[in-house]
Amino acid sequence: MKRTILLALCALVFCANNLGAVDRKTLTIASEGASPPWNAINSEGALAGFDIDVGRDLCRRINVECTFVPQDWDGIIPALTVGKFDAIMSGMAITEKRKKSIAFTQPYAGGFNQLVVRKDLNLPHTDTSAKLNLTTIDAEKQAVLDQLRAALTGKTLGVLRSSNSEAVLNELFGKVATIRSYDSQDNMHLDLVAERIDGGLADYFTWKAFLDSKDGGIAMLYGPQLSGGLWGPGVGVGLRQDDRELIAAFDSAIDAAMRDGTLKRLSEQWFEIDVSPQVSN
Amino acid sequence: MNTAIVLEALLTLPRGLILTLALTIASLAAGFAVSIPLAFLRASSNPWASAPVLAYTYAFRGTPLLVQLFLIYYGIGQLSLVRQSFLWSVMREPFWCAFIAFTLNSTAHTTEVLRGGIQAVPRGQVEAAKALGLSGFHTARLIVFPLTIRIALPAYVNEVIGMLKASSLASTITLLEITGLSRQLVSETFAPYEVFIVAGALYLLLTVLITQAFQILETHWTRASTSTADATSMSKRAPKPSLAPRELDAELHHRTAPSQTQQ
């Protein structure tokens, strides 16, 4: 019995440390595949989207062979740290909290987040094209947030589990609304259509794909375009902290893709607007 | 192993105990109540009675509970027919969807467990009851059912433990029971090992408690039914077990006495 337990423990430890030397000729990149247009599973069952196209371009520049694997969002960071794949490209925002566990490249895209509510709630009108950066809150912004809070009091709001939106939603509306966390954006959309929830907070482009779909007609954007704060500087490639070489390689590849307009082109192709980081120097 | 996270998990996860136990106990209780009549139908020699029950138990035992849960939660939510009816006030709530799915599943399993018990009751017992002039219903209530419960108890314990573990699936429909809270905590800490080890230990603890409780019940019942001498000595020390044969004697006298005077 004792020996069996010891053997089992050994097996566990080996699984956990299965980070042997990664052959740098090939890389495995994980993406959720459920947040179009960032990433989705296409009709052939393969990953496709902005993240995937950018990833392919970066790999070409680094000169490595890349395979993309789908991975559920709420296990994506632990799976990277134990070496199930080598990188995350999944519309993941660079945040301080995530930086404690993994490393990020410089951002390869910006983006913003927005609330969506069901049209039949008839909530008071808001300006959905206004921009609100949560990094610093002044009196004017506080007034806008207070209005939102009043409108959403007593409502049930959905959000993707372990997203920054979840943290923001809990911080802003956790006291006045019921928050339900979903394991995928798709399941949240289903419950929104089924009227189990009144609204939700998520990445704007993901919402847009849903709002433009047949089912999305029942909902609308609500409140200003939210960014900053917990969402950090933008979306980057997630890598293991000890993969110094790889981080540097990806960083210079992103730099090159930004300079020659590739990121801009891909962004306009998938989002219809340019969310690529601006060349600063 | 990060002990700080283990501690946090130890403080956080027990909050999900109430929901885990509520789901498990409620669906087991409802499932048990419904499965008693179904088990008798299923054990009946009349195919018109047993075939529909068999079809039901077959379907619910032969498909994954997760699929059943999704069909009930996401599937029914798509039907505008249901959404416009009074049913929606119940089906809106993830808790009730989980309760309904678990109950349907548990009923199917429990029905088969009890059916096995019913068919294992010795023929002689039933014939003796007939000879005493007991009606079919009384035979079922006083002879077959008490024996069935004792025979089926070990198999039923498996169902109870199975249901406890299956309740973790409720986390897939936004419910925050032990597993739901674990997943939430993992999403905050990115430390699945520490958190899920604590969650596993919690479930294990519950399983041990359930097993112990049923073991006590089992010894209690077998002692109570081995000999009347034993049963009387027991009744001095402990409250009389509800299924003791002496109670059955009293019932029998009570039932047969009036009919004798009528003759």
Side-chain angles (χ1 to χ4, degrees):
Chain A
M1 185 68 204
K2 258 202 184 128
R3 250 185 60 190
T4 322
I5 291 174
L6 273 176
L7 278 173
L9 274 177
C10 285
L12 269 177
V13 171
F14 276 117
C15 290
N17 288 334
N18 187 13
L19 302 179
V22 180
D23 176 19
R24 286 293 175 234
K25 284 280 152 274
T26 60
L27 278 184
T28 313
I29 303 179
S31 196
E32 185 203 6
S35 298
W38 292 93
N39 53 76
I41 308 282
N42 66 13
S43 52
E44 280 120 56
L47 280 161
F50 175 76
D51 288 323
I52 287 61
D53 280 0
V54 172
R56 285 217 176 88
D57 181 78
L58 299 180
C59 289
R60 197 177 44 76
R61 288 172 202 269
I62 302 170
N63 202 8
V64 286
E65 184 108 10
C66 286
T67 27
F68 282 87
V69 291
Q71 159 74 41
D72 275 349
W73 177 257
D74 65 0
I76 206 163
I77 289 182
L80 172 71
T81 53
V82 301
K84 295 213 179 297
F85 38 78
D86 308 305
I88 298 170
M89 289 188 74
S90 193
M92 188 179 272
I94 301 161
T95 66
E96 290 309 311
K97 204 183 96 182
R98 287 176 180 148
K99 274 191 192 165
K100 289 191 180 120
S101 305
I102 58 171
F104 282 100
T105 59
Q106 60 171 313
Y108 61 87
F112 53 91
N113 299 265
Q114 208 156 7
L115 286 158
V116 155
V117 295
R118 293 205 327 263
K119 286 175 181 168
D120 61 341
L121 298 177
N122 294 320
L123 294 182
H125 176 79
T126 56
D127 179 6
T128 54
S129 58
K131 291 180 167 45
L132 198 156
N133 187 309
L134 290 167
T135 309
T136 51
I137 306 275
D138 56 21
E140 199 183 332
K141 289 181 186 175
Q142 193 55 54
V144 175
L145 291 176
D146 286 342
Q147 271 174 353
L148 284 177
R149 204 168 283 144
L152 296 173
T153 296
K155 300 282 182 282
T156 306
L157 302 171
V159 70
L160 181 65
R161 182 189 287 130
S162 62
S163 62
N164 295 305
S165 294
E166 183 181 46
V168 172
L169 199 62
N170 277 313
E171 192 180 314
L172 293 181
F173 308 107
K175 288 198 173 63
V176 297
T178 311
I179 312 281
R180 284 200 197 151
S181 300
Y182 288 85
D183 45 9
S184 83
Q185 206 74 31
D186 289 340
N187 286 344
M188 182 166 112
H189 296 161
L190 284 174
D191 265 4
L192 188 62
V193 174
E195 298 174 18
R196 277 202 182 97
I197 52 176
D198 302 311
L201 178 65
D203 172 79
Y204 163 81
F205 297 110
T206 313
W207 277 132
K208 197 167 177 321
F210 163 70
L211 293 174
D212 292 344
S213 74
K214 184 170 60 70
D215 288 337
I218 55 118
M220 60 180 195
L221 293 164
Y222 195 72
Q225 301 174 357
L226 301 166
S227 62
L230 286 165
W231 281 296
V235 168
V237 182
L239 298 153
R240 275 186 295 274
Q241 286 166 336
D242 51 10
D243 272 349
R244 294 268 153 243
E245 276 173 38
L246 203 54
I247 299 166
F250 264 107
D251 265 334
S252 52
I254 290 170
D255 230 19
M258 191 161 60
R259 283 176 198 284
D260 72 7
T262 307
L263 288 182
K264 181 172 185 288
R265 184 174 54 78
L266 290 174
S267 168
E268 281 165 352
Q269 182 192 321
W270 286 100
F271 302 126
E272 293 165 6
I273 56 168
D274 179 13
V275 294
S276 67
Q278 301 312 306
V279 182
S280 46
N281 44 6
Chain B
M1 258 324 213
N2 182 333
T3 40
I5 293 172
V6 171
L7 266 176
E8 194 181 350
L10 280 170
L11 292 173
T12 311
L13 300 191
R15 285 209 316 257
L17 259 175
I18 295 169
L19 192 51
T20 288
L21 289 175
L23 276 170
T24 310
I25 293 167
S27 36
L28 280 170
F32 189 76
V34 180
S35 64
I36 294 167
L38 286 185
F40 277 103
L41 287 175
R42 174 75 181 86
S44 136
S45 50
N46 179 349
W48 290 105
S50 65
V53 182
L54 176 63
Y56 158 71
T57 58
Y58 218 90
F60 277 87
R61 290 163 76 225
T63 50
L65 178 53
L66 184 63
V67 171
Q68 293 162 25
L69 185 64
F70 275 14
L71 280 175
I72 287 170
Y73 185 79
Y74 288 116
I76 286 180
Q78 305 242 322
L79 305 172
S80 52
L81 194 75
V82 176
R83 286 219 303 272
Q84 265 120 43
S85 76
F86 69 97
L87 281 173
W88 189 238
S89 56
V90 173
M91 300 307 287
R92 266 197 76 150
E93 297 301 322
F95 178 88
W96 293 115
C97 288
F99 169 74
I100 290 166
F102 293 172
T103 300
L104 284 169
N105 187 277
S106 176
T107 303
H109 284 275
T110 312
T111 299
E112 290 299 333
V113 166
L114 292 180
R115 191 262 316 166
I118 290 170
Q119 289 177 336
V121 170
R123 290 284 322 149
Q125 302 266 4
V126 181
E127 277 162 17
K130 271 210 184 92
L132 283 168
L134 284 181
S135 69
F137 175 74
H138 281 133
T139 307
R141 195 171 76 88
L142 301 172
I143 312 290
V144 179
F145 184 66
L147 285 167
T148 296
I149 287 291
R150 285 170 210 200
I151 296 165
L153 193 66
Y156 184 65
V157 181
N158 283 343
E159 168 55 20
V160 173
I161 292 167
M163 200 65 245
L164 169 77
K165 292 186 290 188
S167 72
S168 64
L169 291 174
S171 66
T172 59
I173 56 167
T174 75
L175 287 171
L176 294 174
E177 34 62 80
I178 295 175
T179 307
L181 280 176
S182 307
R183 290 172 73 175
Q184 191 129 47
L185 196 57
V186 169
S187 77
E188 287 164 23
T189 57
F190 307 124
Y193 289 118
E194 288 85 344
V195 175
F196 283 126
I197 280 170
V198 173
L202 257 180
Y203 282 113
L204 201 57
L205 178 73
L206 289 174
T207 307
V208 167
L209 289 175
I210 291 169
T211 318
Q212 292 296 324
F214 274 98
Q215 221 143 34
I216 290 166
L217 188 64
E218 214 174 325
T219 43
H220 194 74
W221 275 355
T222 36
R223 262 211 312 225
S225 58
T226 39
S227 75
T228 37
D230 211 26
T232 40
S233 68
M234 282 243 334
S235 62
K236 280 176 201 156
R237 281 185 284 108
K240 198 166 51 157
S242 59
L243 293 167
R246 288 158 20 108
E247 200 180 329
L248 192 64
D249 288 343
E251 280 263 18
L252 278 175
H253 284 301
H254 179 74
R255 303 251 168 235
T256 47
S259 61
Q260 281 168 349
T261 50
Q262 277 163 14
Q263 283 167 0

